[in-house]
Amino acid sequence: MEKYFNAKYIWESFPLLIPYIKVTFLVAGLSVLFGTLLGFILAAMKLGNSKIAQIIANGYTTALRCTPSIVLLFLVYYGIPKIAENFGVNLSDIDKIIFIVITFSLQFAAAMSEVIRSAYQSIDRGQFEAAVSVGLSNAQAYRRIIFPQAFVVALPNFGNSLLELIKEGSLAYTIGLIDVMGKASLIIDGRFNAHALETYLALSIIYWVISIAIEQLFLKLEKVFSKGKQVINPT
Amino acid sequence: MSDGLNYSFLVKTFFTALSGVPTALMITIVALFIALPLGFMLALTRINRIPVLHRFAQVYVSFVRGTPVIVQIFIIYSSVPLVLTSFFKKFHIETNVYDINPIWYAFIVFSLNTTAILIEVFRSAISTVSKGQLEAAYSVGLTNVQAFRRIIIPQTLVVALPNICTATVNLIKATSLGYAMSLQEITLRAKVAANVGYNYVEAYIDIFLVYLILCSLVEYLFKIYEKRLRKYKAANA
Amino acid sequence: MLEIKNIHKSFGKNEILKGVDLRIDKGDVVVILGPSGSGKTTLLRCINFLEKADQGHAIFGAADVNLKTASKKQIHDIRQKVAFVFQNYNLFNNKTALENVTEGLIIGRRVPKAEAIEIGKKALDKVGLSEKYHSYPIELSGGQQQRVGIARAVALNPDIILFDEPTSALDPELVGEVLTVMKNIAKEGTTMLVVTHEMSFAKDVANRVVFMDGGVIVEEGSPKEIFTNPKEERTQQFLRRVLPEDYIFYI
């Protein structure tokens, strides 16, 4: 079968794919929400005094950072129902998006715990000491002095992790999620793999534009929030 | 009906999964072999703003870092055979494109991908090495090549090492996507074995364990290497 | 006004403070001298609980506080009365100079915002930084940052201000401006406890000098007594090392 490349299919793919971007964002958004919450808890465990908590949190982070996304996805997708089976709970009716959000939340939490931990530790102890010396309580010192500064340090890393999340999220199509990647897959299957390249190119452009937009957004955010800090400018 | 885990399958599949490790490692090593020098040189073009090349590198990095690896794999996997087919036709080469071992496509994709990642890693690492180092090297009579090999690169390496380690671990994880090219690596091997008896959970546990061991090993090795390189730096770490 | 009794503090196996007693009266400007490692900074940090002493009492006016077992409320109360100026300034990086000075007033002491701003501006004027109300620490020189640090302490109207080597982190040409500010504050009658290597300050402004070495107070007295008539051998050795060679003292 003579395969030939026809650029027209690239343009045709865009209107077909773009409506599904919101699914991609929905999954990413939920994962960020839950992942950040869990990430805070893990970071607190790492920074706290309990050795056991530290070991658990560090072990979790290592385990998740060494696991490829599709492996994690399948572990969650097949594993959780199986565990539930042992307790007599039937999970086969649950929408697969739940499993997807669980997977990427777990993954994002591991990354977030490191981002939060290192941002917190980068703030000089003297800031805290000065704050309590002028009469702030511990809580006030954290809230008004430490957190705002740590937030700025964390921002670029948060942006990177967010980008990674969106890219890794593309793998959700393997268990049938119809986000922008899933739709591309459907289109290609529908055409019996003809002109797959053109569709993938369109898909890659969509992702590219999204990532540039997020990058620019975070650069702007960094500028807005770092009034009191010197921003190192890479060429 | 609760089943519990099929333990004999668990053990057997572990070794099946393990058999995919050499493939994963080979891809990783080839990719690093190409990407390390290429990434370093392109990083230099970015820093020295060499015309044309530095813009090309910028766009290239932006694209690779802005798109999912799986999409890159699909693009290469659907485009290269097309190009090769017409290439073979033109030069009357007899080889059937579809007989080419998918591992060659894997080499291409992962080399391209890792190069882009490393360009960024080296860009920030090189900028931490002060300019005075190069000037001092010239002033004692070292050639460009010598200056880089003996002074700049060692210092860049120490700074870049943790990020190179992360990139390597990510590379190993990314090989799991080789299934899209029917590549017989860790994940695919174990999955195929699982399809027989629907023992998916056991298979994925094994896959998970193999990656965990592999990645921990890699991180450990990098740590040792970093310690050796750090000897010259003041007790800062 | 403030009496410290029998402070002990160890870090791991190192005993840094080996039983220090100190008494400070209102209006005193006390300078603590001594070699590095003598425990001067640790003493200061124990007084406002940046370090927790292993043993000892602090008597503030009527209140007698056990330094080891002090409650959160007691610590909080003491910090209302004791202000601290850090060697590395420790200005809040994410706040302007004025905000740095008013932070403790508004949040720590619940002073109404308008009033706090008035007090803050006056304090900044006092240290010569009227032009810099809205500058961020990153925009200020070291000397200016330290002056903001002093204004921050002064604005709290504390009973006593602790200075931990306030000029040690400054370039030499910036030291003078900070010392001048400190002299002015002392002239106004502020009670100050200063750890410093600046002998000129000790000689000209202090009314008491304390020499510490090896975790204990070796000798104390008026500047004249310590500088011209040091009684202890260790004091003499220290002074010989740090004072210009032509300085003669009598035994």
Side-chain angles (χ1 to χ4, degrees):
Chain A
M1 180 169 152
E2 192 73 70
K3 281 189 188 170
Y4 63 102
F5 180 86
N6 190 338
K8 130 169 118 95
Y9 284 96
I10 304 183
W11 314 127
E12 279 188 4
S13 303
F14 281 116
L16 296 172
L17 292 172
I18 289 181
Y20 289 87
I21 296 181
K22 57 173 172 297
V23 180
T24 304
F25 280 156
L26 178 65
V27 169
L30 287 173
S31 304
V32 167
L33 185 63
F34 294 117
T36 307
L37 283 173
L38 182 56
F40 264 110
I41 297 176
L42 287 166
M45 286 166 74
K46 289 186 192 181
L47 293 166
N49 291 325
S50 160
K51 264 254 139 67
I52 303 177
Q54 278 179 24
I55 294 179
I56 296 179
N58 282 322
Y60 175 88
T61 306
T62 309
L64 263 97
R65 281 166 67 172
C66 289
T67 312
S69 301
I70 40 167
V71 175
L72 187 63
L73 195 55
F74 285 137
L75 267 175
V76 168
Y77 188 56
Y78 291 119
I80 293 189
K82 183 132 197 182
I83 297 178
E85 218 175 79
N86 282 348
F87 290 103
V89 177
N90 185 331
L91 289 179
S92 50
D93 282 333
I94 295 201
D95 197 326
K96 49 179 77 109
I97 203 173
I98 306 264
F99 293 111
I100 295 172
V101 170
I102 292 178
T103 304
F104 291 110
S105 301
L106 290 176
Q107 200 178 52
F108 196 67
M112 269 301 103
S113 69
E114 276 304 293
V115 169
I116 296 173
R117 184 191 62 83
S118 68
Y120 173 83
Q121 286 181 327
S122 75
I123 306 300
D124 190 74
R125 178 106 185 120
Q127 295 285 302
F128 178 77
E129 289 182 352
V132 296
S133 296
V134 300
L136 269 62
S137 70
N138 283 10
Q140 288 166 334
Y142 281 120
R143 204 165 38 84
R144 295 180 60 84
I145 307 295
I146 305 291
F147 180 74
Q149 296 185 53
F151 180 77
V152 175
V153 174
L155 215 48
N157 290 324
F158 181 84
N160 280 337
S161 300
L162 178 61
L163 267 178
E164 283 302 310
L165 177 64
I166 293 181
K167 291 192 296 175
E168 292 300 305
S170 64
L171 294 171
Y173 86 97
T174 56
I175 57 172
L177 180 74
I178 311 301
D179 62 346
V180 70
M181 177 83 194
K183 181 66 180 172
S185 201
L186 281 182
I187 295 177
I188 290 169
D189 282 345
R191 288 208 203 101
F192 302 103
N193 279 1
H195 303 293
L197 180 58
E198 293 89 321
T199 311
Y200 286 126
L201 284 174
L203 184 64
S204 66
I205 292 178
I206 291 179
Y207 272 109
W208 196 6
V209 169
I210 292 177
S211 60
I212 292 182
I214 293 184
E215 246 176 80
Q216 292 303 316
L217 172 66
F218 272 85
L219 280 177
K220 287 249 157 58
L221 282 178
E222 274 170 67
K223 280 214 180 83
V224 165
F225 281 104
S226 58
K227 287 174 308 194
K229 270 194 79 163
Q230 216 169 28
V231 178
I232 301 177
N233 207 5
T235 17
Chain B
M1 254 285 276
S2 62
D3 253 356
L5 290 175
N6 183 334
Y7 287 106
S8 65
F9 182 80
L10 195 65
V11 175
K12 205 171 50 140
T13 318
F14 182 76
F15 292 102
T16 313
L18 218 52
S19 70
V21 170
T23 311
L25 283 181
M26 204 168 23
I27 299 176
T28 306
I29 292 176
V30 169
L32 283 175
F33 189 72
I34 296 178
L36 280 167
L38 195 54
F40 185 78
M41 287 190 288
L42 285 173
L44 284 177
T45 71
R46 288 280 285 138
I47 291 195
N48 295 322
R49 307 192 85 98
I50 296 182
V52 177
L53 271 181
H54 96 270
R55 279 293 169 216
F56 163 74
Q58 191 176 19
V59 173
Y60 170 55
V61 171
S62 176
F63 180 78
V64 170
R65 292 180 73 211
T67 50
V69 182
I70 188 78
V71 176
Q72 292 168 19
I73 290 178
F74 282 134
I75 290 180
I76 297 289
Y77 198 53
S78 23
S79 64
V80 174
L82 286 185
V83 172
L84 284 181
T85 316
S86 43
F87 185 74
F88 286 164
K89 274 223 160 73
K90 230 182 176 176
F91 292 98
H92 302 291
I93 302 176
E94 284 304 315
T95 327
N96 186 339
V97 171
Y98 299 101
D99 284 341
I100 297 181
N101 191 330
I103 206 172
W104 290 99
Y105 297 119
F107 288 151
I108 297 175
V109 171
F110 290 111
S111 301
L112 289 175
N113 184 293
T114 312
T115 304
I117 309 278
L118 289 181
I119 292 178
E120 280 305 295
V121 169
F122 281 126
R123 211 159 64 87
S124 76
I126 293 175
S127 66
T128 66
V129 179
S130 82
K131 199 151 195 264
Q133 297 286 305
L134 198 55
E135 291 175 354
Y138 290 150
S139 67
V140 300
L142 291 176
T143 66
N144 225 352
V145 174
Q146 288 170 330
F148 269 93
R149 195 161 60 82
R150 300 176 64 80
I151 310 290
I152 304 293
I153 292 182
Q155 295 187 42
T156 308
L157 213 51
V158 173
V159 178
L161 220 49
N163 289 325
I164 298 180
C165 174
T166 311
T168 308
V169 169
N170 285 336
L171 184 50
I172 294 178
K173 290 197 296 178
T175 59
S176 66
L177 299 176
Y179 77 87
M181 303 185 277
S182 309
L183 189 65
Q184 294 287 335
E185 44 71 55
I186 301 169
T187 310
L188 188 58
R189 291 242 165 125
K191 252 169 81 158
V192 167
N195 280 334
V196 178
Y198 296 99
N199 296 13
Y200 290 121
V201 179
E202 289 86 340
Y204 281 107
I205 293 180
D206 285 327
I207 298 174
F208 164 72
L209 285 174
V210 170
Y211 278 110
L212 190 59
I213 296 175
L214 209 52
C215 293
S216 306
L217 213 63
V218 168
E219 277 189 24
Y220 180 68
L221 290 172
F222 267 95
K223 264 217 172 75
I224 295 184
Y225 189 46
E226 186 180 351
K227 273 214 176 83
R228 267 185 45 194
L229 284 184
R230 279 218 111 113
K231 277 182 313 192
Y232 79 86
K233 268 203 161 175
N236 201 4
Chain C
M1 177 208 332
L2 167 62
E3 196 167 347
I4 310 286
K5 282 198 155 105
N6 199 22
I7 287 194
H8 287 262
K9 173 71 185 165
S10 300
F11 289 102
K13 289 209 198 92
N14 287 333
E15 196 179 7
I16 300 293
L17 292 175
K18 300 181 183 160
V20 172
D21 297 323
L22 187 61
R23 185 202 163 90
I24 303 174
D25 294 312
K26 193 163 157 64
D28 272 353
V29 176
V30 182
V31 166
I32 304 184
L33 300 175
S36 346
S38 54
K40 327 189 284 289
T41 296
T42 310
L43 176 63
L44 241 53
R45 288 168 67 87
C46 282
I47 295 178
N48 85 330
F49 294 96
L50 291 175
E51 307 284 354
K52 244 215 172 142
D54 297 327
Q55 206 186 324
H57 282 259
I59 305 178
F60 275 96
D64 186 335
V65 178
N66 181 321
L67 290 171
K68 182 169 178 168
T69 62
S71 69
K72 264 210 175 108
K73 176 151 195 336
Q74 285 176 316
I75 295 179
H76 190 74
D77 288 341
I78 288 183
R79 283 182 177 156
Q80 304 286 333
K81 301 192 202 127
V82 177
F84 203 95
V85 175
F86 294 85
Q87 182 174 353
N88 290 314
Y89 344 128
N90 284 341
L91 295 188
F92 305 132
N93 291 325
N94 55 329
K95 303 210 178 266
T96 63
L98 184 57
E99 286 166 353
N100 259 278
V101 177
T102 59
E103 184 75 5
L105 292 170
I106 298 176
I107 305 297
R109 293 163 192 236
R110 309 186 188 222
V111 173
K113 193 164 182 191
E115 194 183 325
I117 292 182
E118 274 308 302
I119 299 176
K121 285 188 179 169
K122 282 210 190 83
L124 283 171
D125 293 340
K126 195 184 275 194
V127 302
L129 288 173
S130 320
E131 312 287 302
K132 300 281 182 188
Y133 292 157
H134 304 293
S135 301
Y136 282 93
I138 201 84
E139 299 168 313
L140 302 172
S141 75
Q144 291 169 327
Q145 287 186 56
Q146 190 58 298
R147 285 190 274 152
V148 174
I150 296 177
R152 184 170 62 178
V154 164
L156 297 169
N157 197 19
D159 291 340
I160 177 173
I161 304 184
L162 306 177
F163 291 80
D164 180 11
E165 303 210 30
T167 56
S168 298
L170 292 173
D171 290 335
E173 61 265 25
L174 300 173
V175 169
E177 67 193 53
V178 173
L179 287 183
T180 307
V181 165
M182 287 168 68
K183 280 188 189 144
N184 291 338
I185 297 180
K187 279 207 193 94
E188 290 178 5
T190 315
T191 313
M192 298 160 65
L193 181 54
V194 183
V195 170
T196 184
H197 294 296
E198 293 294 327
M199 298 301 162
S200 65
F201 185 83
K203 270 187 259 167
D204 303 335
V205 187
N207 69 325
R208 279 173 58 205
V209 172
V210 169
F211 174 66
M212 271 183 80
D213 191 7
V216 291
I217 293 183
V218 172
E219 195 173 341
E220 58 180 292
S222 74
K224 188 159 183 217
E225 287 164 11
I226 297 291
F227 285 112
T228 54
N229 246 336
K231 298 198 194 74
E232 299 287 333
E233 176 63 33
R234 279 195 278 178
T235 321
Q236 294 171 17
Q237 274 179 2
F238 176 74
L239 290 176
R240 251 189 292 256
R241 277 202 335 256
V242 302
L243 290 176
E245 281 169 16
D246 56 351
Y247 191 91
I248 310 167
F249 46 80
Y250 307 91
I251 299 171

